[in-house]
Amino acid sequence: MRHLKYLLAATAASLLSTAALAADLPIAPPPAYAPPPPADFGGWYLRGDIGMSNQSVKRLDTPGYHDPGITVPRTNGLGFDSAGIYGVGVGYRFNNWFRADLTGEYRGKANLHGLDIVSFNGNVIGTDEYHGSKSEWLFLANAYVDLGTWWCVTPFIGAGVGMSRNTISGFQDINTPNLSVAFAPDASKWSFAWAAHAGLAYKVTPSTTIELAYRYVDLGNGSTGALTNYFGFTRGRTIEFKDITSQDVRLGVRWSLEPTPVYAPPPLITKG
């Protein structure tokens, strides 16, 4: 019995000594987990847009043609009806405030209207009434600046330059002084174009953003084919459309092509 007491006492002393030594050792900290990297605002994106145009033209010219004594004041009601806009594009976001894209769009046929009051030596002798339609293919390189985000809404401004292929279709000139009608075949003309943008963007998901935007665009000039009169006679004259502009309202969607990063949460640490 005495030997058993000695054995229990020795065992207890050994355990106490080991516990004291462990208490003197430094406690290892829990494994550190680095925070997720900051959000990457850059990356490629696709875009699609629809909208409506509100178009105008400054004046109509007939190059190299003038009848002595004939005066034609500014055309009354000269302009175009509204038409649909359908566009696509690809772009790149460089950071959280600057992005750029290349866009191409078809601008649907818009009806032409206009009326000239024709005078000869100061006396009104009749009218020229214009009919037809206009459409375009517009290609732009655009750059945008995002102005900050409030309640998930980001206002932006931008500018673009490019080319527009302006097509005049079904042109007719109903001329009452000569009791005649002139018409021209469809014709297309490439012209320098530029645009100014302003709008609001709303991020629906990490990869999808919708836009409501206003755009002023200068489409350059257009031209008809050679005019032919009612009897089939032509002198090779054309009607030039000078300074075609439009104020557009568009609804767009941007889709990010960059994968959305997913971070695994750190493991739970519990006290044993």
Side-chain angles (χ1 to χ4, degrees):
M1 181 65 67
R2 182 176 299 176
H3 293 292
L4 179 58
K5 290 181 179 180
Y6 290 150
L7 178 59
L8 290 175
T11 302
S14 177
L15 290 175
L16 291 175
S17 175
T18 303
L21 179 61
D24 294 335
L25 293 176
I27 300 175
Y33 294 93
D40 181 12
F41 292 97
W44 293 97
Y45 63 86
L46 298 177
R47 71 176 301 139
D49 299 273
I50 59 173
M52 293 294 294
S53 63
N54 180 22
Q55 306 175 83
S56 62
V57 58
K58 187 174 183 180
R59 68 182 188 277
L60 302 182
D61 284 347
T62 306
Y65 173 71
H66 178 69
D67 286 333
I70 295 291
T71 58
V72 181
R74 184 179 180 89
T75 302
N76 295 317
L78 179 62
F80 302 93
D81 294 337
S82 295
I85 300 170
Y86 315 93
V88 295
V90 60
Y92 189 82
R93 174 175 285 284
F94 294 89
N95 49 46
N96 63 341
W97 62 270
F98 181 73
R99 56 190 168 86
D101 55 39
L102 299 174
T103 58
E105 68 182 35
Y106 174 71
R107 302 170 61 86
K109 286 187 176 182
N111 293 327
L112 166 69
H113 44 75
L115 180 71
D116 285 338
I117 307 299
V118 183
S119 300
F120 180 74
N121 292 331
N123 299 311
V124 175
I125 60 174
T127 62
D128 264 335
E129 186 176 335
Y130 302 113
H131 299 278
S133 63
K134 175 185 63 65
S135 61
E136 300 91 20
W137 284 98
L138 176 63
F139 302 93
L140 293 173
N142 306 285
Y144 310 89
V145 174
D146 291 336
L147 303 178
T149 300
W150 294 268
W151 300 284
C152 301
V153 176
T154 303
F156 64 87
I157 57 175
V161 294
M163 298 293 291
S164 180
R165 187 176 186 267
N166 304 323
T167 299
I168 308 298
S169 307
F171 182 83
Q172 293 182 0
D173 177 0
I174 302 174
N175 187 302
T176 58
N178 295 328
L179 300 177
S180 66
V181 175
F183 58 91
D186 298 354
S188 299
K189 180 177 182 178
W190 285 98
S191 192
F192 174 77
W194 62 270
H197 310 267
L200 301 172
Y202 181 79
K203 184 171 258 189
V204 180
T205 71
S207 60
T208 305
T209 302
I210 60 174
E211 291 182 0
L212 179 62
Y214 163 84
R215 178 180 66 187
Y216 177 86
V217 57
D218 190 315
L219 300 161
N221 303 323
S223 177
T224 69
L227 289 168
T228 301
N229 66 14
Y230 182 78
F231 300 101
F233 180 74
T234 181
R235 297 180 182 177
R237 295 170 180 165
T238 62
I239 299 292
E240 301 291 322
F241 291 68
K242 296 295 186 180
D243 196 13
I244 301 168
T245 60
S246 182
Q247 301 187 60
D248 302 335
V249 176
R250 301 188 304 156
L251 180 65
V253 181
R254 284 187 269 129
W255 298 276
S256 174
L257 298 180
E258 300 300 314
T260 302
V262 177
Y263 303 105
L268 295 176
I269 300 176
T270 60
K271 295 182 178 180

CSV table of all heavy atoms in Angstrom, one decimal, residues 17 24 45 79 87 89 154 170 222-223 258:
chain,number,residue,atom,x,y,z
A,17,SER,N,4.4,19.3,-12.9
A,17,SER,CA,5.6,19.9,-13.5
A,17,SER,C,5.4,20.1,-15.0
A,17,SER,O,5.8,21.2,-15.5
A,17,SER,CB,6.8,18.9,-13.3
A,17,SER,OG,8.0,19.4,-13.9
A,24,ASP,N,4.6,28.1,-19.2
A,24,ASP,CA,5.6,29.1,-19.5
A,24,ASP,C,5.9,29.2,-21.0
A,24,ASP,O,6.6,30.2,-21.4
A,24,ASP,CB,6.9,28.6,-18.8
A,24,ASP,CG,6.8,28.7,-17.3
A,24,ASP,OD1,5.9,29.5,-16.8
A,24,ASP,OD2,7.5,28.0,-16.6
A,45,TYR,N,-16.4,44.5,-71.4
A,45,TYR,CA,-17.9,44.4,-71.3
A,45,TYR,C,-18.5,44.5,-72.7
A,45,TYR,O,-17.9,45.0,-73.7
A,45,TYR,CB,-18.4,45.4,-70.4
A,45,TYR,CG,-18.3,46.9,-70.8
A,45,TYR,CD1,-19.2,47.5,-71.7
A,45,TYR,CD2,-17.2,47.7,-70.4
A,45,TYR,CE1,-19.0,48.8,-72.1
A,45,TYR,CE2,-17.0,49.0,-70.8
A,45,TYR,CZ,-17.9,49.6,-71.6
A,45,TYR,OH,-17.8,50.9,-72.0
A,79,GLY,N,-37.3,69.1,-91.5
A,79,GLY,CA,-36.8,68.2,-90.5
A,79,GLY,C,-37.3,66.8,-90.8
A,79,GLY,O,-37.8,66.5,-91.9
A,87,GLY,N,-28.4,49.5,-81.3
A,87,GLY,CA,-27.0,49.5,-81.3
A,87,GLY,C,-26.4,48.4,-80.5
A,87,GLY,O,-27.0,47.9,-79.5
A,89,GLY,N,-22.1,47.1,-78.9
A,89,GLY,CA,-20.8,47.6,-78.8
A,89,GLY,C,-20.0,46.7,-77.8
A,89,GLY,O,-20.5,45.8,-77.2
A,154,THR,N,-25.1,55.9,-60.7
A,154,THR,CA,-23.8,56.5,-61.1
A,154,THR,C,-24.1,57.5,-62.3
A,154,THR,O,-24.3,57.0,-63.4
A,154,THR,CB,-22.8,55.5,-61.5
A,154,THR,OG1,-22.5,54.6,-60.4
A,154,THR,CG2,-21.5,56.2,-61.9
A,170,GLY,N,-36.2,57.5,-101.4
A,170,GLY,CA,-37.5,57.9,-101.8
A,170,GLY,C,-37.7,59.4,-101.9
A,170,GLY,O,-38.9,59.9,-101.7
A,222,GLY,N,-25.7,64.7,-95.9
A,222,GLY,CA,-26.3,63.6,-96.8
A,222,GLY,C,-26.6,64.2,-98.1
A,222,GLY,O,-26.5,65.4,-98.4
A,223,SER,N,-26.9,63.3,-99.1
A,223,SER,CA,-27.2,63.7,-100.4
A,223,SER,C,-28.1,62.7,-101.1
A,223,SER,O,-28.1,61.5,-100.8
A,223,SER,CB,-25.9,63.8,-101.2
A,223,SER,OG,-26.1,64.1,-102.6
A,258,GLU,N,-15.9,39.8,-67.3
A,258,GLU,CA,-14.9,39.4,-66.3
A,258,GLU,C,-15.7,38.5,-65.2
A,258,GLU,O,-16.7,38.9,-64.8
A,258,GLU,CB,-14.3,40.6,-65.6
A,258,GLU,CG,-13.5,41.5,-66.5
A,258,GLU,CD,-12.4,40.7,-67.2
A,258,GLU,OE1,-11.7,40.0,-66.6
A,258,GLU,OE2,-12.3,40.9,-68.5
